[in-house]
mmCIF file of all heavy atoms in Angstrom:
data_model
loop_
_atom_site.group_PDB
_atom_site.id
_atom_site.type_symbol
_atom_site.label_atom_id
_atom_site.label_comp_id
_atom_site.label_asym_id
_atom_site.label_seq_id
_atom_site.Cartn_x
_atom_site.Cartn_y
_atom_site.Cartn_z
ATOM 1 N N ALA A 3 0.833 -1.149 -0.089
ATOM 2 C CA ALA A 3 -0.007 -0.049 -0.046
ATOM 3 C C ALA A 3 0.837 1.248 -0.035
ATOM 4 O O ALA A 3 1.809 1.356 0.661
ATOM 5 C CB ALA A 3 -0.956 -0.059 1.156
ATOM 6 N N CYS A 4 0.401 2.280 -0.776
ATOM 7 C CA CYS A 4 1.082 3.581 -0.798
ATOM 8 C C CYS A 4 0.236 4.411 0.214
ATOM 9 O O CYS A 4 -0.588 4.040 0.901
ATOM 10 C CB CYS A 4 0.962 4.203 -2.150
ATOM 11 S SG CYS A 4 2.029 3.429 -3.354
ATOM 12 N N GLN A 5 0.775 5.697 0.338
ATOM 13 C CA GLN A 5 0.197 6.548 1.431
ATOM 14 C C GLN A 5 -1.255 6.672 1.635
ATOM 15 O O GLN A 5 -1.827 6.599 2.622
ATOM 16 C CB GLN A 5 0.792 7.925 1.187
ATOM 17 C CG GLN A 5 2.301 8.005 1.596
ATOM 18 C CD GLN A 5 2.857 9.420 1.472
ATOM 19 O OE1 GLN A 5 2.112 10.453 1.209
ATOM 20 N NE2 GLN A 5 4.239 9.554 1.547
ATOM 21 N N GLU A 6 -1.929 6.785 0.371
ATOM 22 C CA GLU A 6 -3.428 6.968 0.492
ATOM 23 C C GLU A 6 -4.178 5.769 1.002
ATOM 24 O O GLU A 6 -5.153 5.817 1.706
ATOM 25 C CB GLU A 6 -4.000 7.508 -0.938
ATOM 26 C CG GLU A 6 -3.478 8.790 -1.396
ATOM 27 C CD GLU A 6 -3.668 9.892 -0.326
ATOM 28 O OE1 GLU A 6 -4.779 9.940 0.228
ATOM 29 O OE2 GLU A 6 -2.797 10.680 -0.090
ATOM 30 N N GLU A 7 -3.674 4.587 0.562
ATOM 31 C CA GLU A 7 -4.251 3.380 1.108
ATOM 32 C C GLU A 7 -3.898 3.097 2.605
ATOM 33 O O GLU A 7 -4.762 2.660 3.384
ATOM 34 C CB GLU A 7 -3.633 2.211 0.264
ATOM 35 C CG GLU A 7 -4.001 2.206 -1.130
ATOM 36 C CD GLU A 7 -2.929 1.493 -1.927
ATOM 37 O OE1 GLU A 7 -1.980 2.211 -2.410
ATOM 38 O OE2 GLU A 7 -3.077 0.293 -2.221
ATOM 39 N N LEU A 8 -2.711 3.550 2.887
ATOM 40 C CA LEU A 8 -2.360 3.409 4.478
ATOM 41 C C LEU A 8 -3.304 4.403 5.319
ATOM 42 O O LEU A 8 -3.759 4.025 6.428
ATOM 43 C CB LEU A 8 -0.985 3.838 4.646
ATOM 44 C CG LEU A 8 0.084 2.905 3.968
ATOM 45 C CD1 LEU A 8 1.595 3.366 4.087
ATOM 46 C CD2 LEU A 8 -0.065 1.449 4.599
ATOM 47 N N LYS A 9 -3.576 5.530 4.664
ATOM 48 C CA LYS A 9 -4.389 6.530 5.347
ATOM 49 C C LYS A 9 -5.901 5.882 5.445
ATOM 50 O O LYS A 9 -6.537 6.021 6.497
ATOM 51 C CB LYS A 9 -4.600 7.893 4.610
ATOM 52 C CG LYS A 9 -3.355 8.690 4.746
ATOM 53 C CD LYS A 9 -3.629 10.002 3.896
ATOM 54 C CE LYS A 9 -2.407 10.708 3.659
ATOM 55 N NZ LYS A 9 -2.595 11.893 2.815
ATOM 56 N N LEU A 10 -6.315 5.231 4.406
ATOM 57 C CA LEU A 10 -7.585 4.554 4.483
ATOM 58 C C LEU A 10 -7.780 3.560 5.482
ATOM 59 O O LEU A 10 -8.683 3.533 6.169
ATOM 60 C CB LEU A 10 -7.903 4.019 2.966
ATOM 61 C CG LEU A 10 -9.189 3.074 2.921
ATOM 62 C CD1 LEU A 10 -10.409 4.008 3.018
ATOM 63 C CD2 LEU A 10 -9.206 2.356 1.543
ATOM 64 N N ILE A 11 -6.711 2.777 5.682
ATOM 65 C CA ILE A 11 -6.819 1.787 6.812
ATOM 66 C C ILE A 11 -6.823 2.351 8.155
ATOM 67 O O ILE A 11 -7.459 1.969 9.046
ATOM 68 C CB ILE A 11 -5.606 0.680 6.562
ATOM 69 C CG1 ILE A 11 -5.804 -0.204 5.357
ATOM 70 C CG2 ILE A 11 -5.424 -0.117 7.784
ATOM 71 C CD1 ILE A 11 -7.028 -0.985 5.454
ATOM 72 N N LEU A 12 -6.071 3.378 8.316
ATOM 73 C CA LEU A 12 -6.112 4.123 9.541
ATOM 74 C C LEU A 12 -7.367 4.750 9.890
ATOM 75 O O LEU A 12 -7.935 4.680 11.005
ATOM 76 C CB LEU A 12 -4.885 5.244 9.582
ATOM 77 C CG LEU A 12 -3.491 4.735 9.591
ATOM 78 C CD1 LEU A 12 -2.601 5.922 9.168
ATOM 79 C CD2 LEU A 12 -3.145 4.441 11.187
ATOM 80 N N ARG A 13 -8.077 5.361 8.808
ATOM 81 C CA ARG A 13 -9.320 5.903 9.055
ATOM 82 C C ARG A 13 -10.349 4.827 9.240
ATOM 83 O O ARG A 13 -11.299 4.993 10.057
ATOM 84 C CB ARG A 13 -9.711 6.608 7.779
ATOM 85 C CG ARG A 13 -9.098 8.049 7.663
ATOM 86 C CD ARG A 13 -9.533 9.036 8.696
ATOM 87 N NE ARG A 13 -9.045 10.341 8.245
ATOM 88 C CZ ARG A 13 -9.105 11.353 9.098
ATOM 89 N NH1 ARG A 13 -9.749 11.171 10.260
ATOM 90 N NH2 ARG A 13 -8.768 12.571 8.655
ATOM 91 N N LEU A 14 -10.247 3.741 8.459
ATOM 92 C CA LEU A 14 -11.274 2.632 8.561
ATOM 93 C C LEU A 14 -11.351 1.961 9.938
ATOM 94 O O LEU A 14 -12.421 1.697 10.532
ATOM 95 C CB LEU A 14 -11.052 1.561 7.530
ATOM 96 C CG LEU A 14 -12.168 0.614 7.265
ATOM 97 C CD1 LEU A 14 -13.468 1.135 6.808
ATOM 98 C CD2 LEU A 14 -11.651 -0.384 6.114
ATOM 99 N N THR A 15 -10.086 1.803 10.414
ATOM 100 C CA THR A 15 -9.981 1.016 11.765
ATOM 101 C C THR A 15 -10.013 1.928 12.915
ATOM 102 O O THR A 15 -10.334 1.505 14.058
ATOM 103 C CB THR A 15 -8.628 0.290 11.820
ATOM 104 O OG1 THR A 15 -7.520 1.165 11.539
ATOM 105 C CG2 THR A 15 -8.720 -0.867 10.684
ATOM 106 N N HIS A 16 -9.792 3.330 12.692
ATOM 107 C CA HIS A 16 -9.588 4.296 13.768
ATOM 108 C C HIS A 16 -9.166 3.653 15.181
ATOM 109 O O HIS A 16 -10.028 3.646 16.203
ATOM 110 C CB HIS A 16 -10.783 5.156 14.064
ATOM 111 C CG HIS A 16 -12.193 4.459 13.996
ATOM 112 N ND1 HIS A 16 -12.724 3.907 15.185
ATOM 113 C CD2 HIS A 16 -13.114 4.233 13.069
ATOM 114 C CE1 HIS A 16 -13.908 3.497 14.871
ATOM 115 N NE2 HIS A 16 -14.148 3.656 13.690
ATOM 116 N N PRO A 17 -7.992 3.030 15.274
ATOM 117 C CA PRO A 17 -7.595 2.327 16.456
ATOM 118 C C PRO A 17 -7.239 3.359 17.572
ATOM 119 O O PRO A 17 -6.990 4.597 17.414
ATOM 120 C CB PRO A 17 -6.236 1.766 16.001
ATOM 121 C CG PRO A 17 -5.758 2.567 15.013
ATOM 122 C CD PRO A 17 -6.840 3.141 14.254
ATOM 123 N N LYS A 18 -7.327 2.888 18.803
ATOM 124 C CA LYS A 18 -6.797 3.634 19.997
ATOM 125 C C LYS A 18 -5.360 3.837 19.958
ATOM 126 O O LYS A 18 -4.815 4.998 20.111
ATOM 127 C CB LYS A 18 -7.137 2.867 21.338
ATOM 128 C CG LYS A 18 -7.009 3.792 22.551
ATOM 129 C CD LYS A 18 -7.511 3.107 23.781
ATOM 130 C CE LYS A 18 -7.392 4.060 25.080
ATOM 131 N NZ LYS A 18 -8.090 5.299 24.926
ATOM 132 N N PHE A 19 -4.544 2.743 19.670
ATOM 133 C CA PHE A 19 -3.115 2.862 19.559
ATOM 134 C C PHE A 19 -2.674 2.325 18.190
ATOM 135 O O PHE A 19 -3.316 1.496 17.517
ATOM 136 C CB PHE A 19 -2.451 2.097 20.690
ATOM 137 C CG PHE A 19 -2.728 2.450 22.061
ATOM 138 C CD1 PHE A 19 -3.696 1.661 22.794
ATOM 139 C CD2 PHE A 19 -2.250 3.586 22.519
ATOM 140 C CE1 PHE A 19 -3.931 2.083 24.049
ATOM 141 C CE2 PHE A 19 -2.596 4.014 23.865
ATOM 142 C CZ PHE A 19 -3.473 3.365 24.616
ATOM 143 N N PHE A 20 -1.487 2.810 17.727
ATOM 144 C CA PHE A 20 -0.985 2.410 16.443
ATOM 145 C C PHE A 20 0.487 2.181 16.467
ATOM 146 O O PHE A 20 1.220 2.848 17.182
ATOM 147 C CB PHE A 20 -1.298 3.590 15.338
ATOM 148 C CG PHE A 20 -0.606 3.365 14.056
ATOM 149 C CD1 PHE A 20 -0.829 2.207 13.246
ATOM 150 C CD2 PHE A 20 0.353 4.265 13.567
ATOM 151 C CE1 PHE A 20 -0.233 1.967 12.084
ATOM 152 C CE2 PHE A 20 1.007 4.068 12.325
ATOM 153 C CZ PHE A 20 0.669 2.804 11.585
ATOM 154 N N MET A 21 0.743 1.076 15.857
ATOM 155 C CA MET A 21 2.204 0.523 15.800
ATOM 156 C C MET A 21 2.667 0.172 14.450
ATOM 157 O O MET A 21 2.126 -0.771 13.816
ATOM 158 C CB MET A 21 2.421 -0.669 16.727
ATOM 159 C CG MET A 21 3.796 -1.263 16.664
ATOM 160 S SD MET A 21 3.826 -2.633 17.819
ATOM 161 C CE MET A 21 5.313 -3.492 17.323
ATOM 162 N N PRO A 22 3.357 1.050 13.679
ATOM 163 C CA PRO A 22 3.792 0.744 12.284
ATOM 164 C C PRO A 22 4.773 -0.557 12.313
ATOM 165 O O PRO A 22 5.634 -0.652 13.260
ATOM 166 C CB PRO A 22 4.563 2.034 11.766
ATOM 167 C CG PRO A 22 4.876 2.721 13.024
ATOM 168 C CD PRO A 22 3.948 2.376 14.137
ATOM 169 N N VAL A 23 4.669 -1.350 11.330
ATOM 170 C CA VAL A 23 5.477 -2.628 11.306
ATOM 171 C C VAL A 23 5.953 -2.752 9.820
ATOM 172 O O VAL A 23 5.580 -2.014 8.971
ATOM 173 C CB VAL A 23 4.728 -3.895 11.737
ATOM 174 C CG1 VAL A 23 4.502 -3.771 13.132
ATOM 175 C CG2 VAL A 23 3.438 -4.139 10.858
ATOM 176 N N HIS A 24 6.832 -3.756 9.659
ATOM 177 C CA HIS A 24 7.355 -4.145 8.265
ATOM 178 C C HIS A 24 8.055 -3.032 7.587
ATOM 179 O O HIS A 24 7.525 -2.335 6.584
ATOM 180 C CB HIS A 24 6.253 -4.728 7.373
ATOM 181 C CG HIS A 24 5.568 -5.919 7.897
ATOM 182 N ND1 HIS A 24 4.471 -6.497 7.319
ATOM 183 C CD2 HIS A 24 5.762 -6.701 8.987
ATOM 184 C CE1 HIS A 24 4.104 -7.523 7.929
ATOM 185 N NE2 HIS A 24 4.867 -7.558 8.944
ATOM 186 N N GLY A 25 9.183 -2.714 7.917
ATOM 187 C CA GLY A 25 9.941 -1.601 7.297
ATOM 188 C C GLY A 25 11.170 -1.254 8.055
ATOM 189 O O GLY A 25 11.362 -1.541 9.201
ATOM 190 N N GLU A 26 12.098 -0.524 7.304
ATOM 191 C CA GLU A 26 13.214 0.072 7.912
ATOM 192 C C GLU A 26 12.829 1.199 8.782
ATOM 193 O O GLU A 26 11.704 1.525 8.758
ATOM 194 C CB GLU A 26 14.234 0.407 6.845
ATOM 195 C CG GLU A 26 14.785 -0.753 6.069
ATOM 196 C CD GLU A 26 15.723 -0.312 4.943
ATOM 197 O OE1 GLU A 26 16.055 1.004 4.908
ATOM 198 O OE2 GLU A 26 16.151 -1.196 4.136
ATOM 199 N N TYR A 27 13.744 1.710 9.702
ATOM 200 C CA TYR A 27 13.351 2.554 10.696
ATOM 201 C C TYR A 27 12.695 3.813 10.101
ATOM 202 O O TYR A 27 11.845 4.389 10.698
ATOM 203 C CB TYR A 27 14.520 3.034 11.666
ATOM 204 C CG TYR A 27 14.167 3.623 12.839
ATOM 205 C CD1 TYR A 27 13.540 2.798 13.912
ATOM 206 C CD2 TYR A 27 14.202 5.000 13.092
ATOM 207 C CE1 TYR A 27 13.120 3.443 15.046
ATOM 208 C CE2 TYR A 27 13.656 5.574 14.272
ATOM 209 C CZ TYR A 27 13.196 4.774 15.312
ATOM 210 O OH TYR A 27 12.774 5.302 16.410
ATOM 211 N N ARG A 28 13.290 4.229 9.094
ATOM 212 C CA ARG A 28 12.676 5.510 8.294
ATOM 213 C C ARG A 28 11.226 5.306 7.912
ATOM 214 O O ARG A 28 10.416 6.272 8.069
ATOM 215 C CB ARG A 28 13.540 5.934 7.220
ATOM 216 C CG ARG A 28 13.506 5.085 6.000
ATOM 217 C CD ARG A 28 14.359 5.796 4.821
ATOM 218 N NE ARG A 28 14.116 5.116 3.592
ATOM 219 C CZ ARG A 28 14.666 3.931 3.248
ATOM 220 N NH1 ARG A 28 15.528 3.318 4.007
ATOM 221 N NH2 ARG A 28 14.362 3.414 2.090
ATOM 222 N N HIS A 29 11.004 4.061 7.470
ATOM 223 C CA HIS A 29 9.570 3.757 7.052
ATOM 224 C C HIS A 29 8.660 3.848 8.247
ATOM 225 O O HIS A 29 7.561 4.298 8.161
ATOM 226 C CB HIS A 29 9.532 2.344 6.360
ATOM 227 C CG HIS A 29 10.421 2.157 5.234
ATOM 228 N ND1 HIS A 29 11.197 1.167 5.091
ATOM 229 C CD2 HIS A 29 10.334 2.996 4.071
ATOM 230 C CE1 HIS A 29 11.795 1.248 3.799
ATOM 231 N NE2 HIS A 29 11.342 2.327 3.292
ATOM 232 N N LEU A 30 9.107 3.329 9.375
ATOM 233 C CA LEU A 30 8.207 3.292 10.609
ATOM 234 C C LEU A 30 7.953 4.803 11.014
ATOM 235 O O LEU A 30 6.923 5.159 11.406
ATOM 236 C CB LEU A 30 9.020 2.583 11.785
ATOM 237 C CG LEU A 30 9.363 1.123 11.449
ATOM 238 C CD1 LEU A 30 9.999 0.524 12.635
ATOM 239 C CD2 LEU A 30 8.186 0.295 10.923
ATOM 240 N N VAL A 31 8.985 5.581 10.963
ATOM 241 C CA VAL A 31 8.789 7.166 11.313
ATOM 242 C C VAL A 31 7.826 7.775 10.301
ATOM 243 O O VAL A 31 6.970 8.537 10.765
ATOM 244 C CB VAL A 31 10.182 7.748 11.337
ATOM 245 C CG1 VAL A 31 10.029 9.277 11.539
ATOM 246 C CG2 VAL A 31 10.973 7.194 12.553
ATOM 247 N N HIS A 32 8.020 7.559 9.004
ATOM 248 C CA HIS A 32 7.136 8.193 8.064
ATOM 249 C C HIS A 32 5.722 7.749 8.327
ATOM 250 O O HIS A 32 4.736 8.484 8.164
ATOM 251 C CB HIS A 32 7.511 7.820 6.648
ATOM 252 C CG HIS A 32 8.763 8.534 6.163
ATOM 253 N ND1 HIS A 32 9.057 9.793 6.228
ATOM 254 C CD2 HIS A 32 9.873 8.002 5.546
ATOM 255 C CE1 HIS A 32 10.103 10.171 5.720
ATOM 256 N NE2 HIS A 32 10.735 9.093 5.340
ATOM 257 N N HIS A 33 5.482 6.408 8.656
ATOM 258 C CA HIS A 33 4.049 5.916 8.849
ATOM 259 C C HIS A 33 3.652 6.652 10.194
ATOM 260 O O HIS A 33 2.443 6.939 10.224
ATOM 261 C CB HIS A 33 4.273 4.393 8.992
ATOM 262 C CG HIS A 33 2.940 3.720 8.627
ATOM 263 N ND1 HIS A 33 2.793 2.355 8.452
ATOM 264 C CD2 HIS A 33 1.664 4.229 8.436
ATOM 265 C CE1 HIS A 33 1.525 2.063 8.114
ATOM 266 N NE2 HIS A 33 0.834 3.152 8.120
ATOM 267 N N LYS A 34 4.318 6.789 11.173
ATOM 268 C CA LYS A 34 4.062 7.505 12.302
ATOM 269 C C LYS A 34 3.549 8.847 12.026
ATOM 270 O O LYS A 34 2.489 9.287 12.449
ATOM 271 C CB LYS A 34 5.185 7.644 13.382
ATOM 272 C CG LYS A 34 4.962 8.467 14.610
ATOM 273 C CD LYS A 34 6.318 8.608 15.296
ATOM 274 C CE LYS A 34 6.198 9.556 16.459
ATOM 275 N NZ LYS A 34 6.110 10.979 16.043
ATOM 276 N N ASN A 35 4.274 9.575 11.123
ATOM 277 C CA ASN A 35 3.959 10.961 10.682
ATOM 278 C C ASN A 35 2.569 11.010 9.915
ATOM 279 O O ASN A 35 1.808 11.832 10.157
ATOM 280 C CB ASN A 35 4.957 11.597 9.838
ATOM 281 C CG ASN A 35 6.300 11.747 10.675
ATOM 282 O OD1 ASN A 35 6.263 11.798 11.872
ATOM 283 N ND2 ASN A 35 7.461 11.931 9.958
ATOM 284 N N LEU A 36 2.391 10.009 9.171
ATOM 285 C CA LEU A 36 1.154 9.792 8.311
ATOM 286 C C LEU A 36 -0.052 9.622 9.240
ATOM 287 O O LEU A 36 -1.125 10.227 9.181
ATOM 288 C CB LEU A 36 1.237 8.573 7.403
ATOM 289 C CG LEU A 36 0.398 8.541 6.153
ATOM 290 C CD1 LEU A 36 0.776 9.667 5.203
ATOM 291 C CD2 LEU A 36 0.556 7.180 5.511
ATOM 292 N N ALA A 37 0.150 8.794 10.302
ATOM 293 C CA ALA A 37 -0.889 8.478 11.188
ATOM 294 C C ALA A 37 -1.256 9.807 12.078
ATOM 295 O O ALA A 37 -2.457 9.994 12.329
ATOM 296 C CB ALA A 37 -0.565 7.388 12.213
ATOM 297 N N GLU A 38 -0.360 10.563 12.249
ATOM 298 C CA GLU A 38 -0.579 11.807 13.059
ATOM 299 C C GLU A 38 -1.454 12.814 12.177
ATOM 300 O O GLU A 38 -2.366 13.465 12.663
ATOM 301 C CB GLU A 38 0.690 12.565 13.413
ATOM 302 C CG GLU A 38 1.412 12.095 14.477
ATOM 303 C CD GLU A 38 2.636 12.889 14.892
ATOM 304 O OE1 GLU A 38 2.565 14.112 14.906
ATOM 305 O OE2 GLU A 38 3.711 12.330 14.991
ATOM 306 N N LYS A 39 -1.275 12.770 10.856
ATOM 307 C CA LYS A 39 -2.004 13.594 9.884
ATOM 308 C C LYS A 39 -3.489 13.163 9.837
ATOM 309 O O LYS A 39 -4.293 14.046 9.556
ATOM 310 C CB LYS A 39 -1.386 13.490 8.410
ATOM 311 C CG LYS A 39 -0.102 14.265 8.348
ATOM 312 C CD LYS A 39 0.470 14.018 6.951
ATOM 313 C CE LYS A 39 1.899 14.701 6.814
ATOM 314 N NZ LYS A 39 2.443 14.518 5.445
ATOM 315 N N VAL A 40 -3.796 11.831 10.054
ATOM 316 C CA VAL A 40 -5.137 11.410 9.959
ATOM 317 C C VAL A 40 -5.831 11.435 11.429
ATOM 318 O O VAL A 40 -6.841 10.859 11.591
ATOM 319 C CB VAL A 40 -5.357 10.083 9.326
ATOM 320 C CG1 VAL A 40 -4.906 10.095 7.925
ATOM 321 C CG2 VAL A 40 -4.576 8.935 10.122
ATOM 322 N N GLY A 41 -5.124 12.028 12.301
ATOM 323 C CA GLY A 41 -5.786 12.264 13.678
ATOM 324 C C GLY A 41 -5.378 11.294 14.758
ATOM 325 O O GLY A 41 -6.040 11.374 15.910
ATOM 326 N N ILE A 42 -4.466 10.307 14.566
ATOM 327 C CA ILE A 42 -4.086 9.520 15.728
ATOM 328 C C ILE A 42 -3.099 10.361 16.639
ATOM 329 O O ILE A 42 -2.208 10.894 16.179
ATOM 330 C CB ILE A 42 -3.257 8.238 15.250
ATOM 331 C CG1 ILE A 42 -4.051 7.424 14.137
ATOM 332 C CG2 ILE A 42 -2.962 7.369 16.330
ATOM 333 C CD1 ILE A 42 -5.200 6.673 14.597
ATOM 334 N N PRO A 43 -3.555 10.479 17.955
ATOM 335 C CA PRO A 43 -2.685 11.241 18.875
ATOM 336 C C PRO A 43 -1.260 10.744 18.899
ATOM 337 O O PRO A 43 -0.988 9.590 18.955
ATOM 338 C CB PRO A 43 -3.406 11.153 20.225
ATOM 339 C CG PRO A 43 -4.791 10.627 19.882
ATOM 340 C CD PRO A 43 -4.713 9.873 18.636
ATOM 341 N N LYS A 44 -0.383 11.680 18.901
ATOM 342 C CA LYS A 44 1.061 11.458 18.849
ATOM 343 C C LYS A 44 1.475 10.546 19.968
ATOM 344 O O LYS A 44 2.243 9.518 19.744
ATOM 345 C CB LYS A 44 1.846 12.781 18.971
ATOM 346 C CG LYS A 44 3.238 12.650 18.790
ATOM 347 C CD LYS A 44 3.973 14.034 18.911
ATOM 348 C CE LYS A 44 5.583 13.949 18.730
ATOM 349 N NZ LYS A 44 6.117 15.218 18.703
ATOM 350 N N ASP A 45 0.927 10.696 21.125
ATOM 351 C CA ASP A 45 1.212 9.832 22.302
ATOM 352 C C ASP A 45 0.845 8.390 22.122
ATOM 353 O O ASP A 45 1.229 7.526 22.880
ATOM 354 C CB ASP A 45 0.844 10.363 23.603
ATOM 355 C CG ASP A 45 1.455 11.667 23.966
ATOM 356 O OD1 ASP A 45 2.620 11.960 23.337
ATOM 357 O OD2 ASP A 45 0.970 12.500 24.706
ATOM 358 N N ASN A 46 -0.122 8.179 21.205
ATOM 359 C CA ASN A 46 -0.706 6.859 20.950
ATOM 360 C C ASN A 46 -0.030 6.030 19.836
ATOM 361 O O ASN A 46 -0.599 4.948 19.432
ATOM 362 C CB ASN A 46 -2.272 6.900 20.764
ATOM 363 C CG ASN A 46 -3.013 7.364 22.022
ATOM 364 O OD1 ASN A 46 -2.342 7.705 23.020
ATOM 365 N ND2 ASN A 46 -4.304 7.177 21.983
ATOM 366 N N ILE A 47 1.047 6.656 19.310
ATOM 367 C CA ILE A 47 1.664 5.958 18.231
ATOM 368 C C ILE A 47 3.040 5.525 18.709
ATOM 369 O O ILE A 47 3.742 6.240 19.350
ATOM 370 C CB ILE A 47 1.967 6.939 17.067
ATOM 371 C CG1 ILE A 47 0.575 7.557 16.559
ATOM 372 C CG2 ILE A 47 2.639 6.353 15.862
ATOM 373 C CD1 ILE A 47 0.710 8.693 15.559
#
């Protein structure tokens, strides 16, 4: 999945906590930033 699909899953599931997986460290950080953009609280990532 690219960014828009990842946003879709974040919106669809609207989890309490989020943990990015499957990727090098920069990928996990980028995914964290993407999750913040769709409204997941920073402290919950």
Side-chain angles (χ1 to χ4, degrees):
C4 290
Q5 288 181 5
E6 297 307 312
E7 297 150 272
L8 296 173
K9 288 179 191 175
L10 174 63
I11 290 298
L12 284 158
R13 286 286 191 196
L14 189 62
T15 56
H16 50 85
K18 186 172 184 65
F19 300 105
F20 172 58
M21 175 180 162
V23 295
H24 298 178
E26 294 177 7
Y27 197 77
R28 72 178 189 276
H29 298 130
L30 307 182
V31 172
H32 285 312
H33 208 166
K34 169 184 177 288
N35 297 338
L36 202 69
E38 284 183 47
K39 287 179 183 175
V40 298
I42 307 288
K44 186 177 181 179
D45 292 341
N46 288 13
I47 304 170

